[in-house]
Amino acid sequence: MITQSQIKFVRSLHQKKFRDENRQFIAEGPKIIGELLHSELPVVSLFARKEWIEKNQEIAAGEKYSLTEVNEKELSRISNLTNPNQVLAVLNIPEQMNLSDDHLSGTCLALDFISDPGNFGTIIRTADWFGIKTIICSENCVELYNPKVIQATMGSFTRVKVFYSELENLFQTLKGKTKIYGTYTKGVELSKTEKNRNSLIIIGNESKGISPSLEEYIDVKVAIPSQNNSGGNYAESLNASIAAALMCYEFTK
Amino acid sequence: MITQSQIKFVRSLHQKKFRDENRQFIAEGPKIIGELLHSELPVVSLFARKEWIEKNQEIAAGEKYSLTEVNEKELSRISNLTNPNQVLAVLNIPEQMNLSDDHLSGTCLALDFISDPGNFGTIIRTADWFGIKTIICSENCVELYNPKVIQATMGSFTRVKVFYSELENLFQTLKGKTKIYGTYTKGVELSKTEKNRNSLIIIGNESKGISPSLEEYIDVKVAIPSQNNSGGNYAESLNASIAAALMCYEFTK
């Protein structure tokens, strides 16, 4: 049975302050928990409905974490979802690794002040789909362990490596090693862009785009074709996760 | 000054039941309201902060709708946003037009049980970017006038025509006129898909994909390339709005 203090603790992890303090975060739902339990991420405790436990006897019986059966009402008290979904895990936040040249080989993404958790999680999921292993975030990006980010990744956060770094400093060290691309309204048309063996794609903030201070590091400005060029009134911009997906698609073709 | 009964009424429009009953909906923020006031959509009333009114003297002075100045607290009471943004409009829900052959020329989207408002709004915004004029939704798709859908379109709902229709019946009438495409795990690779002059692209539900009952109407199954084909463990699927964007991008190239 779950105790009041456990409920209070798990709920506290909905907030960044308490995630930072306890270095723990939550993830929810059978799909994501299934992936977690097959990953190397350190699960601390599981809270699950009886149905889930019965269906997952083997994984549920792992000895590395505590397992607590909860009823519908208890799950809804600890859940961060509108529709709580069978199982919730508490995990330790792993230490951030050092970013190495290995992480930067092939195609990588750099996120400049992405602030919407759904966008960030979707970008991680999309990167995973296209085999992109590394995402570097500016320090003002939304936090990876925000429950909405974790949910939107659909488990892909267990595979894609996410780093937080001061982007200007990083870009200075990449000169000559990696070609840096950014999406702009005007530039080389996406499908005609020459891709480099090592490519870093910058995705800018949802309303402000790429920071002006990063512009000097960009080797190629890329434009995603739009009907706006044909006159008339069309959407002014794409959602950041959509722009990221179109770039990932073309760069990993 | 805004009255208590106005506050109560605007708040009621956050719920589908009252939108249906009153045939009205809300939209928020300077970007979207700016587009609305230049569109043909019937704005009934505006509630705005002083700063917005001062900056938008000309449009704010329109005689077709009522304008009420609100303070920060009042705006937050009527707003559906976490961070209310200067201005909120109440609009009449327009009558649904009849779907004609004109609407179905070129590239169109059909959404099969899209249930996430953010996804739906983002799909409308992306369609607009790529010049796609028509989206046909199954009757169990999320409602267009849900405030979260409207916000995610960033104003594109004023340009893209959205219809609700029983998809099976519709697809029967399209035989020979329009080629129907759907995204599947296995199929013709997206970049190698032959596009038709009239193409209808089906986007399936977020967790269940395209309904089995629609499969027989699909002329071409399309697969978006993934690292999953190369063995190893990668994301199992793409977010529905991402899949839609990749299809729109290739089909309007």
Side-chain angles (χ1 to χ4, degrees), chain A residues 31 122 125-126 128-131 133 156 159 190-191 224-227 233-239 241-242 245-246 249-250 253, chain B residues 31 122 125-126 128-131 133 156 159 190-191 224-227 233-239 241-242 245-246 249-250 253:
Chain A
K31 164 83 176 68
T122 302
R125 179 177 175 189
T126 308
D128 189 23
W129 174 271
F130 287 112
K133 299 282 177 215
S156 290
R159 289 178 293 270
L190 174 54
S191 62
I224 298 171
S226 152
Q227 290 302 319
N233 198 7
Y234 294 94
E236 269 172 32
S237 64
L238 285 170
N239 168 287
S241 71
I242 300 292
L246 295 169
Y249 170 71
E250 277 288 0
K253 242 183 184 173
Chain B
K31 163 84 177 66
T122 302
R125 178 178 176 187
T126 308
D128 188 23
W129 174 272
F130 287 112
K133 301 281 179 216
S156 289
R159 289 178 293 269
L190 174 53
S191 62
I224 297 172
S226 152
Q227 290 302 318
N233 199 7
Y234 295 94
E236 269 173 32
S237 64
L238 285 170
N239 168 288
S241 71
I242 300 291
L246 295 168
Y249 169 72
E250 277 287 1
K253 243 183 186 175

Side-chain angles (χ1 to χ4, degrees), chain B residues 28-39:
Chain B
E28 302 194 53
K31 163 84 177 66
I32 298 184
I33 305 294
E35 300 218 10
L36 275 179
L37 295 174
H38 289 105
S39 79

Side-chain angles (χ1 to χ4, degrees), chain B residues 72-243:
Chain B
E72 197 179 339
K73 200 178 154 193
E74 288 161 345
L75 185 62
S76 78
R77 288 189 64 195
I78 58 175
S79 172
N80 191 54
L81 303 176
T82 320
N83 301 307
N85 193 358
Q86 295 186 58
V87 54
L88 181 151
V90 173
L91 296 100
N92 286 329
I93 294 181
E95 291 283 319
Q96 179 168 310
M97 284 178 296
N98 289 323
L99 188 64
S100 72
D101 283 357
D102 252 17
H103 292 122
L104 291 163
S105 74
T107 303
C108 301
L109 295 180
L111 308 186
D112 177 25
F113 190 17
I114 289 294
S115 60
D116 180 85
N119 281 344
F120 184 24
T122 302
I123 291 172
I124 296 171
R125 178 178 176 187
T126 308
D128 188 23
W129 174 272
F130 287 112
I132 292 172
K133 301 281 179 216
T134 305
I135 299 178
I136 304 144
C137 299
S138 65
E139 279 155 352
N140 55 2
C141 274
V142 61
E143 179 213 3
L144 173 60
Y145 298 105
N146 178 312
K148 286 184 186 163
V149 175
I150 294 295
Q151 289 313 117
T153 70
M154 290 302 286
S156 289
F157 77 97
T158 59
R159 289 178 293 269
V160 176
K161 300 266 176 297
V162 175
F163 299 86
Y164 284 79
S165 173
E166 212 286 297
L167 295 184
E168 270 195 75
N169 289 347
L170 172 69
F171 292 173
Q172 278 167 10
T173 69
L174 295 182
K175 284 249 167 210
K177 289 195 216 168
T178 295
K179 217 164 188 171
I180 302 182
Y181 300 79
T183 51
Y184 284 87
T185 319
K186 284 177 186 169
V188 185
E189 197 179 298
L190 174 53
S191 62
K192 291 170 187 151
T193 308
E194 269 185 53
K195 287 93 192 176
N196 201 46
R197 205 171 57 82
N198 294 334
S199 300
L200 187 79
I201 301 164
I202 311 181
I203 305 298
N205 171 262
E206 286 88 348
S207 54
K208 293 175 192 153
I210 297 172
S211 304
S213 63
L214 298 179
E215 208 173 315
E216 62 173 295
Y217 302 100
I218 291 173
D219 298 302
V220 187
K221 290 189 176 181
V222 182
I224 297 172
S226 152
Q227 290 302 318
N228 274 317
N229 307 329
S230 65
N233 199 7
Y234 295 94
E236 269 173 32
S237 64
L238 285 170
N239 168 288
S241 71
I242 300 291

Side-chain angles (χ1 to χ4, degrees), chain A residues 17-43:
Chain A
K17 182 186 156 190
F18 294 104
R19 289 193 293 274
D20 287 345
E21 209 172 286
N22 295 290
R23 307 293 305 153
Q24 296 194 328
F25 69 104
I26 62 167
E28 301 193 54
K31 164 83 176 68
I32 297 185
I33 305 293
E35 299 218 10
L36 274 180
L37 294 175
H38 288 105
S39 79
E40 288 174 2
L41 278 165
V43 176

